[in-house]
């Protein structure tokens, strides 16, 4: 099915476009427009077992010079056979807006932007902004999939790209998931030159509820999730590249395989802010005795080659806080019970965390646990935490033995049963905190600094300054007074009459004041003649405390 608008837009809202084959591969659905595309539901259903890796269907929306708007829309490719699930491609020269694309159907199947089967790739690419709000984007390998001969079977990948601007994901979940004993989970990649924002709806989320080896334990529902929900299968990895990353209000970035091997979280950004946000890597197995799931936070200009096998190099002692590769993050800010944690369950060794930032700053704790950075294990060895915080340092967060019920901002690498891990932090050669002076809480009695020569309550006559009328002093002594500074008689005469009055009155000529007199009522009168100084009749009143 192909719709092509070479000079206009395509609108199919309220319609459902469906391609289906119960014994083979369904056809493709292509919508191509010069301008905007506003699509309705599109489904592609296949049952294909040919063993041909090129045998799959595709849903493609392509706006050449406009935007793609999906409001309450379901895009689904499904293959219940052993062949590939099919791809979903959404391209726009301007913006891509996906709103309210979530829910379940009558058979309790999840609805959203979904590819079900092996290797179904979801690609979202905009020239400008990408907005995903209240939606689900899921590349899933369901548990009903049969075995396949394609090799290295896994769920599909999710790639989201803004070529020139930003990505905002609000109250939404982008997830690649496996429920199949024959497939691993896929990978997630986000690239935006300006910013990536992951925003949830609960600014008081307790992320420690997600730390569990139980496959049925709750998982983050807002943010990015690469997850293996079946024992022995692997979760994929998550990569984010941008200038500024914000994770807030309960959103999380998580790779999780509590009974298998998790992938890595690699974030290349110049500014990273977590405000009740989390970054997880949770694993139940290790690929080898020295490696678990890893979290890497480096600057945006870091080469991809610098991140390859970094976890293994850290485990083997080749990399520590003082020799991490790549460029530095400008700052990493943690606040409001945020969490960066690599968890290892059962006998798995802890994952490693590598952070290279010019400044690491944690806000004062707002709850029972504070904001923590941890590489912990249950039965295996704790992970390695390598942090380079030069040249500005790390503040309000310190290395401590454990984080359980600690209302402080902690850095830990521990094991409940096995050996504790290693915390390696490179700090500036000159620590600014060493020059701080601990001031006493009571700097002195401020009341002693106030003179008692004129205590309140005595009868006294103090000087006063009273403002009356309009205007004020000129900007400089050489400037003439403005008209607003003159106080004259109010008149209702017309402008012409006023000019005649001024021209016929010789007294209307302005003269610079050279003296001042005190009137009978205490008013100040400026005079054209200089005042005669007097020493016994000063207009300033006596401020003696005993004056009556």
């Amino acid at each position: 099915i192909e719709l092509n608008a070479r000079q206009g837009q395509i609108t199919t809202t309220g319609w459902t476009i469906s391609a289906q084959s119960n014994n083979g591969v369904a056809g493709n659905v292509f919508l191509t427009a010069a301008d905007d595309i506003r699509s309705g539901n599109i489904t592609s259903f296949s049952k294909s077992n040919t063993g041909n890796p090129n045998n799959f269907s595709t849903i493609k929306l392509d706006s050449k010079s406009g935007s793609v708007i999906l409001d309450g829309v379901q895009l689904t490719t499904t293959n219940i056979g052993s062949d590939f699930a099919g791809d979903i491609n959404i391209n726009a020269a301007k913006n891509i807006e996906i709103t309210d694309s979530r829910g379940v159907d009558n058979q309790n199947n999840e609805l959203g932007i979904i590819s079900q089967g092996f290797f179904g790739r979801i690609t979202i690419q905009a020239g400008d902004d990408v907005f995903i709000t209240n939606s689900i984007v899921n590349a899933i390998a369901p548990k009903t999939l049969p075995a396949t001969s394609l090799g290295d079977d896994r769920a599909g990948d999710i790639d989201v790209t803004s070529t020139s601007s930003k990505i905002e994901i609000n109250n939404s979940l982008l997830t690649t998931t496996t429920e199949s004993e024959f497939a691993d989970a896929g990978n997630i990649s986000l690239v935006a030159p300006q910013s990536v924002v992951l925003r949830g709806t609960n600014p008081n989320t307790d992320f420690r509820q997600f730390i569990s080896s139980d496959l049925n334990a709750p998982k983050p529902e807002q943010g990015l999730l690469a997850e293996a929900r079946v024992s022995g299968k692997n979760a994929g990895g998550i990569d984010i590249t941008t200038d500024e990353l914000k994770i807030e209000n309960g959103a999380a970035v998580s790779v999780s395989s509590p009974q298998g091997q998790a992938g890595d979280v690699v974030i290349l950004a110049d500014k990273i802010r977590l405000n009740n946000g989390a970054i997880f890597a949770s694993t139940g197995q290790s690929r080898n005795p020295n490696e678990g799931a890893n979290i890497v936070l480096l600057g945006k200009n870091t080469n991809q080659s610098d991140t390859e096998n970094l976890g293994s190099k850290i485990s083997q002692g080749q990399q520590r806080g003082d020799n991490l590769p790549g460029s530095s993050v400008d700052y990493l800010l943690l606040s409001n019970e945020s969490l960066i944690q690599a968890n290892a369950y059962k006998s798995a060794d802890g994952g490693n965390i590598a952070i290279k930032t010019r400044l690491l700053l944690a806000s004062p704790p707002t709850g029972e646990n504070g904001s923590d950075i941890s590489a912990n294990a249950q039965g295996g060895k704790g992970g390695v935490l390598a942090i380079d915080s030069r040249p500005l340092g790390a503040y309000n967060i310190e290395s401590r033995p454990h984080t359980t019920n600690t209302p402080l901002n902690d850095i830990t690498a521990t094991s409940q049963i096995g050996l504790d891990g290693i915390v390696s932090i490179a700090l500036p050669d000159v620590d600014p905190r060493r020059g701080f002076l601990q001031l006493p809480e009571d700097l002195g009695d401020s009341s002693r600094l106030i003179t008692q020569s004129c205590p309140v309550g005595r009868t006294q006559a103090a000087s006063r300054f009273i403002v009356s009328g309009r205007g004020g002093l000129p900007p400089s002594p050489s400037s003439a007074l403005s008209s607003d500074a003159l106080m004259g008689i109010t008149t209702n005469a017309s402008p012409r009459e006023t000019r005649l009055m001024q021209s016929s009155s010789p007294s209307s000529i302005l003269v610079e004041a050279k003296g001042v007199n005190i009137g009978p009522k205490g008013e100040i009168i400026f005079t054209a003649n200089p005042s005669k100084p007097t020493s016994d009749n000063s207009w300033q009143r006596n401020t003696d405390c005993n004056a009556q």
Side-chain angles (χ1 to χ4, degrees), residues 76-420:
T76 306
T77 61
T78 302
N79 189 349
I80 63 173
S82 59
D83 287 345
F84 287 1
D87 294 346
I88 298 176
N89 298 327
I90 305 173
N91 303 316
K94 295 182 179 177
N95 299 331
I96 294 177
E97 301 176 18
I98 301 173
T99 307
D100 295 331
S101 292
R102 71 189 314 165
V104 294
D105 62 14
N106 295 332
Q107 298 178 345
N108 204 37
N109 295 315
E110 188 176 56
L111 300 176
I113 313 298
I114 298 176
S115 175
Q116 299 186 76
F118 296 116
F119 294 101
R121 179 182 293 272
I122 299 175
T123 303
I124 300 171
Q125 181 169 338
D128 294 330
D129 299 329
V130 176
F131 300 102
I132 302 176
T133 304
N134 193 33
S135 298
I136 295 288
V137 179
N138 191 0
I140 182 171
K143 60 184 178 181
T144 55
L145 287 178
T148 175
S149 60
L150 296 174
D152 294 328
D153 297 331
R154 58 182 173 83
D157 297 335
I158 299 175
D159 297 323
V160 183
T161 303
S162 167
T163 304
S164 63
S165 190
K166 63 182 181 291
I167 298 171
E168 289 192 9
I169 300 174
N170 299 293
N171 187 27
S172 299
L173 181 65
L174 277 61
T175 175
T176 172
T177 310
T178 181
E179 299 174 343
S180 170
E181 60 180 311
F182 305 112
D184 294 331
N187 303 306
I188 299 176
S189 172
L190 271 62
V191 178
Q194 293 184 10
S195 65
V196 171
V197 178
L198 307 177
R199 183 179 295 115
T201 57
N202 181 8
N204 299 307
T205 299
D206 181 6
F207 293 105
R208 287 150 186 85
Q209 64 180 305
F210 305 131
I211 302 174
S212 174
S213 60
D214 186 353
L215 292 174
N216 297 317
K219 300 294 188 297
E221 297 182 353
Q222 298 165 325
L224 310 178
L225 174 63
E227 179 187 23
R229 298 179 183 174
V230 63
S231 178
K233 305 312 293 185
N234 299 329
I238 296 177
D239 295 339
I240 301 174
T241 303
T242 188
D243 182 71
E244 182 175 15
L245 171 64
K246 295 181 181 179
I247 307 174
E248 56 193 24
N249 290 359
V253 175
S254 175
V255 291
S256 174
S257 181
Q259 297 182 18
Q261 172 62 51
D264 296 336
V265 176
V266 178
I267 296 174
L268 305 182
D270 285 343
K271 307 172 188 67
I272 302 176
R273 302 172 183 233
L274 275 64
N275 181 6
N276 193 235
I279 301 173
F280 289 116
S282 302
T283 189
Q285 297 178 2
S286 301
R287 294 190 182 99
N288 59 61
N290 295 319
E291 187 173 353
N294 304 291
I295 298 173
V296 177
L297 308 182
L298 300 174
K300 183 178 68 173
N301 294 325
T302 300
N303 295 325
Q304 290 290 342
S305 59
D306 289 332
T307 67
E308 295 176 359
N309 302 318
L310 181 56
S312 294
K313 294 177 181 178
I314 291 175
S315 294
Q316 296 167 10
Q318 301 177 26
Q319 308 275 198
R320 287 292 186 262
D322 59 353
N323 66 343
L324 289 175
S327 63
S328 296
V329 180
D330 287 341
Y331 56 75
L332 170 60
L333 305 182
L334 306 177
S335 62
N336 193 19
E337 305 293 293
S338 293
L339 184 62
I340 299 175
Q341 184 158 338
N343 306 298
Y345 303 120
K346 298 184 178 179
S347 60
D349 291 334
N352 304 312
I353 299 178
I355 300 174
K356 189 173 184 179
T357 178
R358 292 171 53 82
L359 171 66
L360 171 57
L361 177 62
S363 298
T366 58
E368 297 179 354
N369 298 288
S371 296
D372 301 330
I373 303 175
S374 304
N376 299 331
Q378 288 183 339
K381 182 175 62 176
V384 178
L385 231 168
I387 300 176
D388 184 350
S389 63
R390 297 172 295 185
L392 300 180
Y395 300 92
N396 206 30
I397 186 168
E398 296 182 7
S399 176
R400 294 185 176 89
H402 59 83
T403 60
T404 305
N405 298 324
T406 302
L408 300 171
N409 300 323
D410 305 311
I411 297 175
T412 65
T414 64
S415 177
Q416 295 180 10
I417 300 176
L419 297 174
D420 285 344

Side-chain angles (χ1 to χ4, degrees), residues 10-16 37-42 61 67-75 90 95-103 111-113 131-136:
I10 293 177
T11 301
T12 62
T13 53
W15 294 72
T16 296
I37 296 177
R38 290 176 169 82
S39 175
N41 296 336
I42 302 177
L61 310 180
S67 300
V68 174
I69 297 98
L70 304 177
D71 189 355
V73 170
Q74 318 302 323
L75 302 183
I90 305 173
N95 299 331
I96 294 177
E97 301 176 18
I98 301 173
T99 307
D100 295 331
S101 292
R102 71 189 314 165
L111 300 176
I113 313 298
F131 300 102
I132 302 176
T133 304
N134 193 33
S135 298
I136 295 288

Side-chain angles (χ1 to χ4, degrees), residues 467-489:
V467 177
S468 177
R470 300 177 299 167
L473 295 175
S476 65
S478 61
S479 302
L481 290 172
S482 66
S483 59
D484 285 342
L486 302 178
M487 298 176 57
I489 301 174

Side-chain angles (χ1 to χ4, degrees), residues 430-458:
V430 178
D431 188 352
R433 293 172 297 184
R434 296 176 183 172
F436 290 169
L437 296 178
Q438 185 64 38
L439 297 177
E441 294 184 4
D442 185 7
L443 295 178
D445 187 358
S446 58
S447 63
R448 297 177 181 176
L449 304 177
I450 302 175
T451 180
Q452 300 298 317
S453 60
C454 299
V456 177
R458 293 188 181 182

